[in-house]
Amino acid sequence: MVKSVLVQDYFDSYCYFFIDEATKHGFLIDPGAEPEKLLEIIRQEGWVIEKILLTHGHIDHIGAVSVIRAELNLPVYAHPETLSFIMDEEVNLSDVYGEPPDIGEVLPLSDGGVFQLEADPSFRLKTIFTPGHTVDSVVFYAEREQVAFVGDSIYKGCLGDYLYPGGNYELLLRTVKRKILALPEETVLYSGHSEPTTVGDEKPLYA
Ligand SMILES: [Zn+2]
């Protein structure tokens, strides 16, 4: 199951729990702000979060990482470029929004790599590199559950943002068409800043 939580700091951002209901284990994707609220949900639900996964290094997707990892001692995975991306003042938007949070060690994920839940390896997410919103953007796709966590690459009703440093309109459009809208039509897309949508609903907008 997917639980979306709206967290607020500089922006309203959605972060996501992707949880295997049978084992109550799962992944936390893009904890962008309000770590105490997210920790309280984990405690109340009795979930065991195995990993934190990041769709990219923008501050509104990583703001709660350090507090949550300190509390739960979790590994954090992101694109190999994410750390250098975070450290680049101009690119991480900290010149506008303040110092980037220290998220500590980030383990590199690979294009096509699969995250399996330790509690049930059939519960899995595949990583798809999707540059365009940023150089370090990725999507996490669960084929069996027909869901994809798309970060800021595509929103309900429109293309994602491409005007921040490192963004590229042509590349984003190509990525969205070839990698995200190529997923099965039933796939539900969960983004950082919109209500969920589906591949089938978005596809006509890009024809
Ligand atoms: Zn972003």
Side-chain angles (χ1 to χ4, degrees):
M1 59 98 67
V2 176
K3 179 177 177 63
S4 70
V5 181
L6 185 66
V7 293
Q8 296 168 304
D9 192 354
Y10 307 101
F11 310 97
D12 288 358
S13 303
Y14 288 100
C15 89
Y16 296 100
F17 292 99
F18 184 47
I19 304 292
D20 173 37
E21 285 173 85
T23 64
K24 292 194 158 203
H25 282 233
F27 302 106
L28 172 56
I29 298 160
D30 285 356
E34 299 192 69
E36 296 305 334
K37 176 161 135 183
L38 299 174
L39 285 166
E40 185 55 31
I41 291 171
I42 295 168
R43 275 192 289 268
Q44 274 183 358
E45 300 284 352
W47 290 336
V48 176
I49 303 303
E50 294 189 1
K51 292 177 171 70
I52 293 175
L53 308 178
L54 303 176
T55 62
H56 62 296
H58 273 157
I59 192 163
D60 54 321
H61 293 253
I62 65 173
V65 168
S66 59
V67 173
I68 291 175
R69 88 178 305 172
E71 185 75 22
L72 301 179
N73 193 26
L74 298 176
V76 177
Y77 290 83
H79 190 286
E81 293 286 330
T82 295
L83 256 199
S84 51
F85 182 88
I86 289 170
M87 297 318 291
D88 185 326
E89 250 185 29
E90 200 183 315
V91 169
N92 67 28
L93 311 178
S94 67
D95 49 346
V96 183
Y97 302 110
E99 281 302 297
D102 175 13
I103 65 170
E105 185 191 10
V106 173
L107 300 167
L109 37 75
S110 59
D111 195 12
V114 172
F115 290 99
Q116 298 180 317
L117 210 56
E118 285 164 33
D120 178 359
S122 73
F123 190 85
R124 51 204 283 169
L125 279 172
K126 181 177 164 190
T127 306
I128 305 169
F129 280 15
T130 52
H133 171 65
T134 57
V135 293
D136 70 332
S137 286
V138 307
V139 164
F140 300 107
Y141 170 53
E143 186 178 8
R144 186 179 66 185
E145 288 77 12
Q146 300 189 311
V147 302
F149 302 94
V150 297
D152 295 348
S153 294
I154 183 171
Y155 302 130
K156 182 180 171 66
C158 67
L159 189 64
D161 302 298
Y162 47 83
L163 295 175
Y164 294 114
N168 180 317
Y169 170 74
E170 313 273 318
L171 182 58
L172 179 60
L173 189 59
R174 201 160 64 228
T175 292
V176 164
K177 284 181 173 177
R178 290 187 188 168
K179 295 192 168 183
I180 298 177
L181 298 181
L183 297 173
E185 302 224 333
E186 308 73 36
T187 308
V188 180
L189 306 176
Y190 291 96
S191 84
H193 306 284
S194 77
E195 294 298 310
T197 183
T198 66
V199 168
D201 282 347
E202 296 305 311
K203 225 176 191 170
L205 306 177
Y206 296 82

